[in-house]
Structures are given as C-alpha cells and as structure tokens.
Amino acid sequence: MAQAAPRTRAPRSAPGARGDRLAAVVMLAPNILGFSLFLGVPILASLVLSLFDADGFGSYDFVGLSNYGRMLSDPLFGQSLLVTCLYVLGMVPGVFVASLALALLMNSRLPMRGLLRAAFFLPHVVSLVVIGLVWRFLLVDKVGIVHQVLAPLGLSGISWLGDTRFALLTVLVVSIWFYMGYYMIIFLAGLGDIPTEYYDAATMDGASAIARFRHITWPQLRPTSFFVLVVSTVAAVSGAQAFDLIYVMTQGGPANATSLGMFYIYQQAFQFNNYGYASAMSATVVAFLVVVTGALFALTRAGRFDDA
C-alpha cells in the first residue's frame, strides 16, 4: 500500500511583508478614493447619460444607442474627427522634435543657459487663454505685428486665422510654441541622467556628435521619449492642448476648419444642450484614446523600443 505524500503547508508571509502591503494600501487609498469619486463616477455617469436624450433641464428620454448611431450620420462630427487627426499628426511629431532639439541645445555649453531655459519655459506658466488673446492680437488681419514682420516676404496679405487653408496650421504652430518649453524640461531631466563618462569615452574614441547622439543619447532617452510620446498624444487627441486656444482664437472657424472633436462636443453640450449626444461622443473619444494608448504601449513595448 502506497504511503500518502506528506502535506506541505504554504509558506506564511513574513510579518514585514504584510506590514509593507498594509502600508501600500493605506498610502494608495486616498488616490484610489479620489480617482473613483472624481473620475470613475463621472465617467460612469457620462456613459449612462449617452443612452438618453437629455437637454440639461430635467428632460431625460431613454433612446438606447441612438446617440451612437447619430454620430455615424453627422457630417460635422466626421469633419471634427478629421481635423483632430490632422492636429494630432502635426502636433505630436512637431512638439516632440522641437522640444528634443531645444533640450539638446539647452544642454550644451551655451552662455546664459539658465536664462534661456527659463525664457523658453516661461510661456507655459501663463494661462493658455492669455496666450490665445495675445496671438489673436498679433495675427489681426493687415495691422497685426505678424503681418508687418512678414511684409518683406510678400506674406502680409494672408489671413492666418480667417482662411480655411491656414487657420489650423496657425493654431498648430502656436500650440507647438507653447508646449515645447514644457517638454524641453522633461527631456532635460532625461539628459541629466545620462552618465557623462559615456560621452567622454566616445569622444576619446573619435565619435562624432551624430554618432554620440545615435549610440548614447537616443538609447538612454527611450523611457523619457516614450513618456513624452504618450502624454502628448493623449493630450492632442483629447483636445487638452488646443481647446483654450481654439475657443479664444477661432471659435472653431472659419467653416469649422479648426473645430477639433473636443470643441464640437463642447458646442453640442453647452451651446445646443444635447448632453446625451455629447456624452456619446465623449465615450467614443475615450475609447479611441484607450486604443491609441494601448497601440503605443504595444509598438514601443512600453518604452523599450528595439530591445531584444
């Protein structure tokens, strides 16, 4: 008769490990509670509201998925998505390259480097509404300072905010100018973590500046680059980087040429009182953001890029 194998008891967690877990739960509890109250509940309420025809004045008629079907036949919503895609395709690579180039320049041995860093970051501490008002004043047709400066180049006759061909490009340039100082600071933090011994050894081996960037700077900046890529993409798709500028500078015009998805949602909710329809569009944008962020994680392997 075979003998039964002796029972083995699962190892008990050490008292220190249980204490660490308890401390982690206690420290995370305020953030979890705040996230649930101020993000989770509103998102859930918005999803429920997207199933109703609500005017914001107490009228709630259940319409099921009709608001989602309405989006498919709304040409203005399709146009706002196209404008959003164009804005993202211009904003993300534009601000990435500009802020990285600026960080590399500010990380070199320049005179008054600290003052220059502060000068480039300074616009970011000013309200975006104020920035929009200033640029609208600078871009006033015929009499704005920008027109006076560009007059020798024969570009003084262009209506930068009133022409459908240039309005989105103008907002895009102002957005990149505003945010490149912020992302420059993030890249400078990443550059500061790279050991100088790497550059000293490469210089002694005769490596050029391009070779040092390719084999030292770029690989060491992968986590920082991934962070900037994800944050700028999410902000551009959600409209967080341009809503204030568009509201102040163009109001979505001319002819909806600068009406991003988030601005169109704002119009439907707070100008036309279509809260249910606006909630359905918001839910769609959030779902799109989740897909884009997941794709970025998959393509870059969370910042590891081409690591084996």
Side-chain angles (χ1 to χ4, degrees):
M1 182 176 180
Q3 294 183 348
R7 292 183 177 180
T8 59
R9 294 183 176 179
R12 293 184 176 180
S13 300
R18 290 198 300 270
D20 291 343
R21 285 197 293 271
L22 180 61
V25 171
V26 171
M27 287 187 286
L28 288 174
N31 287 333
I32 295 174
L33 182 62
F35 180 84
S36 302
L37 286 177
F38 299 110
L39 286 178
V41 173
I43 289 174
L44 183 61
S46 179
L47 287 174
V48 174
L49 190 60
S50 69
L51 303 177
F52 288 82
D53 182 10
D55 60 2
F57 295 98
S59 175
Y60 296 93
D61 297 325
F62 183 77
V63 294
L65 299 177
S66 297
N67 286 324
Y68 293 93
R70 179 181 172 184
M71 288 189 302
L72 300 177
S73 59
D74 186 349
L76 292 180
F77 180 65
Q79 182 179 355
S80 68
L81 291 183
L82 176 61
V83 173
T84 301
C85 290
L86 293 175
Y87 179 81
V88 172
L89 291 176
M91 178 65 187
V92 175
V95 77
F96 186 94
V97 173
S99 57
L100 177 58
L102 199 57
L104 293 173
L105 181 64
M106 292 298 106
N107 198 47
S108 61
R109 297 176 181 176
L110 284 177
M112 297 187 296
R113 186 174 59 177
L115 182 62
L116 291 174
R117 289 180 178 181
F120 282 110
F121 183 74
L122 189 61
H124 198 73
V125 303
V126 182
S127 168
L128 201 55
V129 174
V130 176
I131 294 294
L133 289 172
V134 170
W135 274 100
R136 193 177 68 177
F137 173 75
L138 296 175
L139 292 166
V140 173
D141 291 349
K142 299 181 181 179
V143 296
I145 296 176
V146 174
H147 291 271
Q148 305 300 325
V149 172
L150 297 178
L153 301 177
L155 300 176
S156 60
I158 296 177
S159 179
W160 297 104
L161 296 178
D163 193 321
T164 55
R165 296 172 298 174
F166 302 106
L168 182 61
L169 178 63
T170 303
V171 173
L172 190 59
V173 171
V174 175
S175 298
I176 293 175
W177 169 81
F178 179 78
Y179 283 101
M180 68 179 184
Y182 169 73
Y183 291 115
M184 175 198 73
I185 296 298
I186 297 175
F187 275 122
L188 281 174
L191 290 171
D193 289 337
I194 302 176
T196 57
E197 290 81 4
Y198 293 176
Y199 294 105
D200 295 338
T203 303
M204 291 180 64
D205 291 339
S208 64
I210 296 177
R212 293 197 296 272
F213 175 80
R214 179 182 176 186
H215 297 291
I216 300 176
T217 306
W218 181 247
Q220 294 293 322
L221 278 181
R222 283 170 182 165
T224 307
S225 301
F226 174 73
F227 175 79
V228 171
L229 186 64
V230 172
V231 172
S232 61
T233 301
V234 171
V237 173
S238 66
Q241 289 182 334
F243 180 86
D244 295 349
L245 280 180
I246 289 174
Y247 185 84
V248 173
M249 295 176 70
T250 65
Q251 286 285 316
N256 297 315
T258 59
S259 180
L260 297 181
M262 190 55 63
F263 188 79
Y264 185 62
I265 292 172
Y266 161 79
Q267 286 181 311
Q268 289 294 328
F270 300 105
Q271 292 184 357
F272 307 135
N273 297 326
N274 294 324
Y275 288 93
Y277 185 42
S279 298
M281 289 189 289
S282 299
T284 304
V285 171
V286 170
F288 181 68
L289 275 175
V290 172
V291 172
V292 170
T293 306
L296 286 175
F297 267 84
L299 292 174
T300 63
R301 290 193 286 177
R304 293 188 294 274
F305 296 94
D306 57 353
D307 282 351

